[in-house]
Amino acid sequence: MNEKVYKTMSHAGSGSLVLGILVLVTGMVSGILMIINGAKLLKRKYEVTI
C-alpha cells in the first residue's frame, strides 16, 4: 500500500516540476518577443506617426 502512495506522489511531483519548467520557459520566450517587438516599434515611431 505504501509503495503505491509513494509512486503516485513521485509521478505527481515530477509532473508538477515539468509543468513548472514549461511555464517558466514559455514566460521567458514571450517576454523576450514582447521586448523585441517593442524595440522595433520604438525604432519606427517616426514613420508611424500621422
Side-chain angles (χ1 to χ4, degrees):
M1 182 67 178
N2 287 337
E3 291 178 19
K4 286 184 179 181
V5 173
Y6 177 75
K7 286 183 181 180
T8 302
M9 290 175 65
S10 175
H11 289 296
S14 61
S16 295
L17 183 63
V18 169
L19 185 62
I21 291 171
L22 287 175
V23 168
L24 179 70
V25 169
T26 303
M28 289 177 62
V29 168
S30 62
I32 290 170
L33 289 175
M34 290 174 70
I35 290 171
I36 290 171
N37 286 331
K40 286 180 183 179
L41 285 173
L42 285 175
K43 184 178 178 181
R44 298 185 179 187
K45 178 173 68 172
Y46 298 108
E47 297 174 12
V48 176
T49 56
I50 298 173

